[in-house]
Amino acid sequence: MSAPNNSHDPVEAHALNPDEVARMRAEAMEAVAAANSLDQLKEVRIAHAGDRSPLALANREIGGLPPAAKADAGKRVGGARREISEAFKTRQAELEEERDARVLVEEAVDVTLSFDPIPRGARHPLTTVAERMTDIFVGMGFEVAEGPEVEAEWYNFDALNFLPDHPARSMQDTFFVEGPGGAHSGLVLRTHTSPVQVRALLDRDAPVYVVAPGKTFRTDELDATHSPVFHQLEGLVVDEGITLAHLRGAIQVFVERMFGEGLRTRMRPSYFPFTEPSAEVDMECFVCRGASVGDPDAPCRTCSSEGWIEIGGCGVMNPRVLTAAGVDTERYSGWAFGLGIERTLMFAHGVKDMHDMVEGDVRFTAAFGMEI
Amino acid sequence: MRVPLSWLREYVELPAEVTARQLAAKLISAGLEVETVDELGTDITGPIVVGRVATIEELTEFKKPIRFCTVDVGQANGTGAPQEIVCGARNFAEGDLVVVSLPGAVLPGGFAIGARTTYGRMSAGMICSASELQLWDDPSGIIVLPAGIAEPGSDAYALLGVRDDVLDIAVTPDRGYALSMRGVAREAAALYDVAFTDPAGLAAPAVEKDGYPATVADSAICGRYVLRGATGFDPALPSPPWMRRRLHMAGIRSVSLAVDVTNYVMVETGQPLHAWDRATVQGPIRVRLAEPGEKLETLDHVVRTLDPDDILIADDSGPINIAGVMGGLSTEISGTSTDILIEAAHFADTHIARASRRHQLSSESSRRFERGVDSAVQVAAATRAVTLLAELGGAVVEDAITHVHGTTPRAPITIAAGHAGRVAGVDYPVETEIARLRLVGCEVEADGDTLTVTPPTWRPDLTDPNDLAEEVIRYEGYENIPAIRPRAVAGRGLTRSQRLRRAVGRTLADTGFSEVLNYPFVGERDLDALQLPADDSRRVALRLANPLNDDEPLLRTTLLPGLFKTVARNVGRGFADVALFESGLVYRPRPGAPEVAPILAVDRGPTPQERAGLDAAIPDQPRRVGAVLAGQRERAGWWGPGRAATWADAVHAAREVAAVAGVRLDARAAQHAPWHPGRCAALYAGATLVGHAGELHPRVTKAYGLPERTVAMEVELDLVEGLARSGQAPEVATYPVASQDVALVVDAGVPAGEVEAALREGAGALLESIALFDVYTGEQVGQGNKSLAYALRLRASDRTLTAEEATAARDSAVALAAERTGAVLRG
């Protein structure tokens, strides 16, 4: 235990004498009052209240005083520092207020100036609408299957019950790929996404619930409603006890999620080699909900006042297709559909002309942004 | 198939109040796709009547001969006096019955008929041609009606069928029977549950012998062959107006009575017929396959080389018809034919389909044969035709008939009772199922839980149990099928690859690129424009046999040509600053692949070997991402000057794409078309080359009309995906960072990437990041040198680095850079 320090030198503690403390305090208070900007005040704070300020240095001396003097000096120095600190706070508030009132106003800019050094890009609406359609089915538990665009005829036709000489095969306006030296290659640009049905069934064990969005090709010249390259969304279910009613249910869910709750759907008999029975599917017009039918005063451009919009073809999977894909038709049945993605974009978002979807004009794409 | 409602009503007792639109809706609901309902003659109004030409005065003072006629129109004009009409046609004589539009009538196009002065005479009405009334096409003059067809003054609307409704049905390939009035009438009768009269329900002749001699080589090419003759036909007689009108409404051109009769019966029964001038047929008819090298000049005056797969009709002279497709010129019915031989046959549908495609001849006949005609209707159809030739053409029907048939009865289809309901998801009573199948014309025998169903001869499309199910379901109504919502299945969601692809698109769009979807068609010209060397693998492209555009027969091996064209299009439309990207497949023939993709069996699934063999024939189709930038990458504005897109923007875009997959790309200088040889980076993920980026070669920008210094990148996304890394949580150290800047002088030819790599390695584990913040060339560093200034950030995870540690790391970095690249610390 050390002895009390009785031999301090009062001269060395000069900074602690009352007059000196009062002087330092007064100097500080004066400087605070004289500060005219927040920047000046910040400098004053460093000079008079910082770690190296006279009062801070004086404070360090207190430890060297005899015990009796400590309390006294501590009170003096501490009081002065508190007062200065208060004065800083007050002056800080005053100056901030002044800044708010004057300086920020002076600093005002014209925020209406347009600023767009790198205009944002956009995703093609066919991409985003296909993703949205896909995601509705993914939400129902479907997976996304894929296949090549240059496809073997067997996948594109034969396995789908397009017999070699059946008129349905020539209905498809197929692009044929040449083999070496111009020979027959057995390859085509796929005319529909349906070959993915066969691939999905060969790749997976039943039950199978998949959709397959993708590019398809037919030898149509580009015009307002046709394009040689277009997109479809294929849907396929193979499970036990699957019926037309399940197909209708899935399409009903899709239509409601995509276009609005409560919209009705209808099926009309049709023909596709790979489904039997087959149907065309229409949905109630989501714009007029049929109100425009027979009302020439309120025509509907979306459905041409027919009340219904055709959205695609579908049907119960032809057991011959299941057989070609190695599925046990005694145990499993299924359904399939194909929806046109261009068509969906056209009626859902008012696209008038196929050219717009094909030409890549940045103005067209920009209108749709990142999601649709 | 165009179906005039008045014609249809001859065979089906539709309630009178049923409109064409109502019928169309019913037919659509049953699977006959009625595309349009044409209401003919609704733009024709007012008095149009039959008239008898009383007098003709020839007016000769005009440029062309003109007739001033008086026409008896009975009381139709209110006075009973002859109507005075000026007429420019000359194909009629006094006493002929004609069609007269009286004043007050309005003809198509809003053409109002009135009394007016023309050619110096008052003309009160018009003597009409078939074209003026849009009845049928006939440029030869006005309509001259057969004598005695009607009294003058009687209404011409009903007589000529001026007003009628025509349903235009797009017949699907399975419903060949609907390519006939008979087939559509049968559907309508079933849908309205009313009586049906079969136009082919004629009594067969009692004796079938002594007809024109004919043989069929093989019943597999022709299951039934019928010939019937009519003699003493008057070739001068025209087709009656009602027949011309009906054929016109059905979309068939009127030729002559004999030909019109064959077409009329074809539309009526669905059975294609052929008529020969019997005098031109030499010897017995033989139905056989063509022999190699045989030729035939068909009715369209084309000499065709026949294929051994073509079914032929031949006589002693050789081929006279391509069966079911088109007749030969030498035996064509002419204006002098008096003895007619009618052929009605059932040819094999697949042969006809192939012949039609081979000869590029799609006729009314071939369309029907391809889709399947009734295998039992031939005798009735031939009989109907010769009967019409007798009724309308004064011919005498020969009793003799040729009938060669080798058809075997169809095998019945066995289905489990309730099959239709199990397909539909509806519980149909078995009696309903049976009744509906019988309605279609099937014979149905029920035996316990099994139905034995024999489809009718006119429904060759009904071959499978599900075909029968469809018939039941469509008559029960598709609209009555419930919607059963799917149970959620435990799907796996999108694959990582699918998610990455979406993220790549979003990233590029976020950074200013607009997505485009270009056609994949390119031409040799593109490969040249890209400046690809002769041995460049991108020149090895798949070729289409039937391209839409002969200049673009190839499938793309790179995304760039399409992007370049789209950039040029946008620039041409006034957008000089463009940033585009595409994500899509390129197509690469696979070396050593089988030359022909095999056609596998369809009566079972393929074996793994079969499938592997097939898939080996399919070309590689990797997914790529390409992007092109032209003009300003950052726009000029009030904030300051803009910044033109440079090679570095292209490299950056590629790096952004790879970064989505967590893959870092290293750039190496490369010379690779279509890029500028001094401004092209080959991009590597580790040791894998995944793409290129940089400024385009000036020849390329010129060839595509792109702005100078356009930049581009292309990355094979499939490769990047294959290297994709899942992020792992880093240690986030909270100790202070120590920054060290170094400026190194190196030879100007040393790639900065190498210097950086050396610094990175040399600095060791303490290096948190390194950034190049300045590149300087100039006197201060000496000619042929450059100075690279890097900011190194150093940090330890477990302590505050001392100044000595930071300096040591920096020195070690510089030392390695010096060793590897000759770098000297700049003083």
Side-chain angles (χ1 to χ4, degrees):
Chain A
M1 184 177 166
S2 64
N5 182 359
N6 296 323
S7 58
H8 74 281
D9 178 355
V11 179
E12 285 181 12
H14 167 76
L16 291 174
N17 84 44
D19 290 351
E20 186 58 19
V21 169
R23 190 191 59 76
M24 287 188 287
R25 176 188 161 280
E27 230 172 57
M29 296 299 272
E30 207 171 295
V32 167
N36 278 324
S37 72
L38 286 165
D39 285 343
Q40 279 180 23
L41 188 63
K42 195 173 170 190
E43 283 169 27
V44 170
R45 179 188 280 268
I46 293 164
H48 295 280
D51 290 346
R52 316 283 296 173
S53 65
L55 275 168
L57 294 176
N59 199 47
R60 291 188 197 167
E61 303 287 339
I62 293 172
L65 293 181
K70 266 186 188 170
D72 202 28
K75 198 186 272 176
R76 250 194 327 274
V77 173
R81 293 183 81 190
R82 262 195 304 280
E83 280 178 63
I84 292 166
S85 173
E86 281 303 314
F88 269 116
K89 277 188 199 155
T90 308
R91 187 64 186 147
Q92 177 88 17
E94 282 170 10
L95 287 173
E96 281 180 2
E97 217 161 287
E98 186 184 310
R99 178 201 62 191
D100 290 356
R102 181 179 55 78
V103 181
L104 293 193
V105 170
E106 283 172 7
E107 284 176 5
V109 296
D110 178 0
V111 296
T112 67
L113 289 174
S114 62
F115 181 73
D116 196 10
I118 303 183
R120 66 200 327 273
R123 303 172 75 209
H124 199 283
L126 284 173
T127 305
T128 46
V129 87
E131 286 179 6
R132 203 177 145 210
M133 294 165 77
T134 300
D135 288 347
I136 290 170
F137 287 99
V138 171
M140 289 187 237
F142 285 57
E143 293 173 11
V144 180
E146 296 171 31
E149 293 170 4
V150 173
E151 183 59 287
E153 286 188 41
W154 186 79
Y155 284 109
N156 195 73
F157 290 127
D158 299 81
L160 292 167
N161 191 40
F162 283 79
L163 300 178
D165 299 307
H166 197 273
R169 197 143 165 168
S170 56
M171 266 165 61
Q172 296 260 350
D173 305 322
T174 310
F175 282 110
F176 291 94
V177 174
E178 261 182 23
H184 172 78
S185 68
L187 299 173
V188 297
L189 285 178
R190 68 179 179 192
T191 56
H192 46 189
T193 43
S194 305
V196 184
Q197 288 182 21
V198 182
R199 291 181 171 275
L201 291 173
L202 290 173
D203 288 340
R204 297 154 198 256
D205 293 325
V208 173
Y209 289 75
V210 297
V211 285
K215 237 175 224 178
T216 50
F217 307 82
R218 292 189 198 174
T219 56
D220 292 321
E221 295 281 354
L222 175 65
D223 65 21
T225 54
H226 296 85
S227 168
V229 183
F230 57 104
H231 298 77
Q232 290 184 335
L233 180 79
E234 193 80 11
L236 167 72
V237 165
V238 171
D239 203 343
E240 291 180 38
I242 292 296
T243 69
L244 264 181
H246 295 101
L247 168 58
R248 187 153 189 209
I251 288 175
Q252 181 68 37
V253 169
F254 166 73
V255 164
E256 294 198 31
R257 298 291 179 276
M258 187 89 187
F259 297 101
E261 296 299 316
L263 287 170
R264 293 178 299 156
T265 59
R266 71 175 184 192
M267 297 201 295
R268 292 174 283 118
S270 188
Y271 171 77
F272 306 104
F274 43 99
T275 51
E276 185 71 40
S278 304
E280 297 275 358
V281 189
D282 301 335
M283 61 177 243
E284 195 176 13
C285 176
F286 62 97
V287 175
C288 74
R289 297 210 176 208
S292 69
V293 180
D295 181 359
D297 296 333
C300 178
R301 286 193 302 178
T302 302
C303 66
S304 305
S305 298
E306 294 191 355
W308 293 93
I309 300 168
E310 189 176 319
I311 59 170
C314 62
V316 167
M317 282 200 74
N318 193 319
R320 288 172 186 252
V321 177
L322 295 176
T323 300
V327 177
D328 176 4
T329 57
E330 292 295 312
R331 182 168 171 198
Y332 293 107
S333 56
W335 58 249
F337 67 72
L339 305 175
I341 294 174
E342 275 79 359
R343 212 184 130 59
T344 305
L345 181 64
M346 285 179 106
F347 69 71
H349 293 273
V351 180
K352 297 283 178 293
D353 194 316
M354 189 69 78
H355 287 88
D356 290 335
M357 290 183 271
V358 167
E359 287 180 347
D361 191 302
V362 292
R363 290 166 295 179
F364 174 75
T365 310
F368 296 94
M370 300 295 287
E371 292 291 343
I372 203 161
Chain B
M1 174 73 189
R2 292 177 55 82
V3 179
L5 193 56
S6 65
W7 195 352
L8 190 73
R9 281 181 182 274
E10 280 197 10
Y11 316 117
V12 51
E13 291 178 14
L14 284 180
E17 67 275 14
V18 171
T19 66
R21 290 191 181 279
Q22 288 167 342
L23 175 61
K26 277 264 198 192
L27 291 173
I28 289 170
S29 74
L32 294 187
E33 198 175 318
V34 182
E35 293 198 315
T36 57
V37 176
D38 297 333
E39 293 166 343
L40 305 183
T42 51
D43 51 356
I44 299 175
T45 56
I48 299 173
V49 300
V50 174
R52 189 193 308 280
V53 179
T55 63
I56 299 174
E57 179 188 345
E58 302 284 352
L59 308 180
T60 55
E61 65 267 40
F62 303 105
K63 273 186 195 162
K64 61 172 185 172
I66 296 295
R67 288 175 159 187
F68 177 69
C69 311
T70 59
V71 184
D72 171 10
V73 293
Q75 294 297 320
N77 55 6
T79 66
Q83 197 76 7
E84 295 180 350
I85 301 173
V86 173
C87 182
R90 309 194 52 76
N91 64 323
F92 62 99
E94 290 175 357
D96 279 352
L97 287 178
V98 295
V99 180
V100 178
S101 306
L102 293 171
V106 179
L107 302 192
F111 177 35
I113 303 297
R116 62 194 178 94
T117 305
T118 180
Y119 294 103
R121 302 296 177 97
M122 177 59 72
S123 178
M126 188 169 87
I127 304 176
C128 298
S129 71
S131 304
E132 283 157 349
L133 294 173
Q134 294 183 349
L135 292 172
W136 58 83
D137 296 324
D138 184 356
S140 67
I142 55 118
I143 302 168
V144 177
L145 296 168
I149 193 169
E151 289 302 310
S154 58
D155 175 62
Y157 281 90
L159 182 71
L160 296 172
V162 171
R163 295 219 178 112
D164 209 338
D165 295 329
V166 180
L167 311 186
D168 193 352
I169 303 175
V171 176
T172 53
D174 59 329
R175 299 198 181 280
Y177 69 92
L179 289 170
S180 67
M181 303 303 299
R182 181 190 188 217
V184 178
R186 198 190 303 273
E187 286 286 338
L191 290 167
Y192 283 92
D193 195 18
V194 293
F196 164 70
T197 308
D198 189 350
L202 302 175
V207 183
E208 292 183 355
K209 61 170 189 176
D210 301 332
Y212 196 92
T215 56
V216 174
D218 183 353
S219 63
I221 59 171
C222 177
R224 194 183 299 276
Y225 196 76
V226 172
L227 293 172
R228 245 193 129 170
T231 57
F233 176 75
D234 180 354
L237 285 173
S239 298
W242 59 266
M243 181 176 274
R244 301 184 82 174
R245 176 64 174 150
R246 282 187 169 178
L247 286 174
H248 177 77
M249 288 191 288
I252 290 174
R253 193 170 57 90
S254 172
V255 178
S256 65
L257 177 56
V259 173
D260 287 358
V261 162
T262 61
N263 283 330
Y264 188 84
V265 174
M266 174 184 70
V267 173
E268 193 178 55
T269 63
Q271 170 65 47
L273 298 176
H274 189 78
W276 284 294
D277 181 342
R278 184 151 144 185
T280 64
V281 180
Q282 300 167 27
I285 279 178
R286 286 178 288 275
V287 182
R288 60 170 170 84
L289 291 176
E291 283 158 17
E294 282 190 299
K295 287 189 167 63
L296 173 65
E297 183 171 9
T298 43
L299 290 173
D300 53 357
H301 298 269
V302 177
V303 178
R304 296 174 188 276
T305 302
L306 303 173
D307 187 279
D309 185 61
D310 291 340
I311 307 175
L312 269 197
I313 311 300
D315 67 1
D316 287 349
S317 72
I320 58 172
N321 273 19
I322 304 176
V325 178
M326 192 173 267
L329 195 60
S330 67
T331 51
E332 185 184 15
I333 291 278
S334 72
T336 58
S337 306
T338 57
D339 293 352
I340 312 276
L341 193 55
I342 297 286
E343 173 206 72
H346 187 254
F347 296 116
D349 50 6
T350 52
H351 280 272
I352 303 298
R354 288 193 294 265
S356 166
R357 227 162 298 153
R358 222 168 8 240
H359 298 293
Q360 295 186 325
L361 273 176
S362 179
S363 60
E364 293 284 344
S365 167
S366 68
R367 276 179 62 222
R368 285 175 172 80
F369 278 121
E370 276 186 58
R371 285 163 175 75
V373 301
D374 187 342
S375 59
V377 77
Q378 287 72 29
V379 171
T383 301
R384 172 83 171 127
V386 289
T387 307
L388 282 171
L389 289 176
E391 284 175 11
L392 305 173
V396 175
V397 175
E398 290 184 324
D399 288 337
I401 178 168
T402 307
H403 186 183
V404 184
H405 54 98
T407 46
T408 45
R410 294 183 62 175
I413 305 165
T414 304
I415 58 172
H419 179 69
R422 279 188 293 281
V423 170
V426 180
D427 198 8
Y428 302 126
V430 69
E431 307 80 60
T432 302
E433 194 170 26
I434 293 170
R436 291 302 189 185
L437 289 171
R438 288 189 174 143
L439 194 62
V440 172
C442 296
E443 288 171 24
V444 186
E445 280 175 42
D447 177 14
D449 285 343
T450 303
L451 302 182
T452 304
V453 184
T454 309
T457 53
W458 57 86
R459 293 298 304 271
D461 60 302
L462 301 180
T463 58
D464 291 10
N466 275 25
D467 299 333
L468 301 177
E470 180 176 81
E471 296 302 304
V472 175
I473 297 164
R474 73 188 180 99
Y475 280 125
E476 284 298 299
Y478 273 40
E479 67 275 15
N480 297 321
I481 295 166
I484 299 177
R485 299 198 168 223
R487 296 164 306 214
V489 289
R492 282 166 289 195
L494 299 181
T495 63
R496 179 174 171 81
S497 159
Q498 288 160 352
R499 283 182 281 123
L500 277 175
R501 250 178 271 159
R502 290 186 177 192
V504 164
R506 277 195 291 268
T507 297
L508 286 170
D510 275 339
T511 51
F513 292 86
S514 288
E515 186 178 14
V516 294
L517 298 168
N518 294 310
Y519 288 173
F521 310 122
V522 296
E524 301 281 356
R525 207 170 45 189
D526 286 301
L527 306 179
D528 293 339
L530 292 175
Q531 313 293 316
L532 300 185
D535 60 349
D536 193 293
S537 65
R538 288 168 292 175
R539 282 193 177 273
V540 184
L542 294 168
R543 181 178 293 271
L544 294 175
N546 54 336
L548 273 187
N549 178 349
D550 288 338
D551 291 339
E552 298 185 327
L554 305 178
L555 294 179
R556 67 186 177 192
T557 53
T558 157
L559 301 177
L560 294 175
L563 280 164
F564 293 163
K565 289 171 197 169
T566 309
V567 167
R569 183 178 301 125
N570 276 288
V571 171
R573 291 181 182 179
F575 296 90
D577 308 318
V578 192
L580 301 181
F581 81 97
E582 178 170 18
S583 167
L585 305 189
V586 297
Y587 313 89
R588 291 278 189 71
R590 188 180 291 165
E595 291 196 351
V596 180
I599 300 291
L600 305 181
V602 294
D603 57 354
R604 58 173 172 81
T607 65
Q609 292 76 18
E610 285 173 333
R611 193 171 179 216
L614 178 54
D615 286 347
I618 294 173
D620 285 330
Q621 297 167 61
R623 176 171 292 270
R624 290 188 159 201
V625 173
V628 181
L629 288 141
Q632 301 276 296
R633 174 60 167 148
E634 290 168 31
R635 308 292 154 86
W638 56 267
W639 56 86
R643 187 176 67 75
T646 70
W647 63 271
D649 290 297
V651 173
H652 182 64
R655 287 199 161 121
E656 290 278 286
V657 165
V660 171
V663 173
R664 206 190 62 178
L665 296 186
D666 296 319
R668 296 185 204 163
Q671 297 195 351
H672 188 70
W675 283 277
H676 183 311
R679 297 184 173 184
C680 172
L683 299 168
Y684 286 83
T688 310
L689 176 64
V690 300
H692 292 84
E695 184 179 314
L696 294 175
H697 196 292
R699 288 178 187 276
V700 175
T701 53
K702 188 174 170 216
Y704 283 98
L706 297 171
E708 284 179 18
R709 308 229 176 257
T710 297
V711 305
M713 70 87 169
E714 186 174 31
V715 165
E716 194 143 317
L717 196 55
D718 284 353
L719 290 174
V720 174
E721 278 175 19
L723 299 163
R725 304 252 177 284
S726 294
Q728 290 296 317
E731 258 186 79
V732 180
T734 53
Y735 290 93
V737 68
S739 297
Q740 294 276 338
D741 291 351
V742 293
L744 299 173
V745 176
V746 291
D747 185 273
V750 173
E754 287 179 20
V755 177
E756 183 179 319
L759 287 172
R760 200 181 277 280
E761 192 181 329
L766 293 178
L767 185 72
E768 185 174 85
S769 68
I770 181 169
L772 176 67
F773 67 88
D774 191 32
V775 180
Y776 173 77
T777 54
E779 282 174 22
Q780 293 179 34
V781 294
Q783 184 130 32
N785 289 333
K786 64 185 172 188
S787 162
L788 302 170
Y790 290 92
L792 278 57
R793 286 165 60 87
L794 302 154
R795 197 185 321 246
S797 60
D798 56 350
R799 64 190 188 281
T800 301
L801 288 181
T802 64
E804 292 72 26
E805 284 176 303
T807 306
R810 186 197 68 170
D811 291 348
S812 157
V814 170
L816 194 64
E819 182 191 323
R820 293 242 180 107
T821 67
V824 175
L825 199 58
R826 193 172 163 196

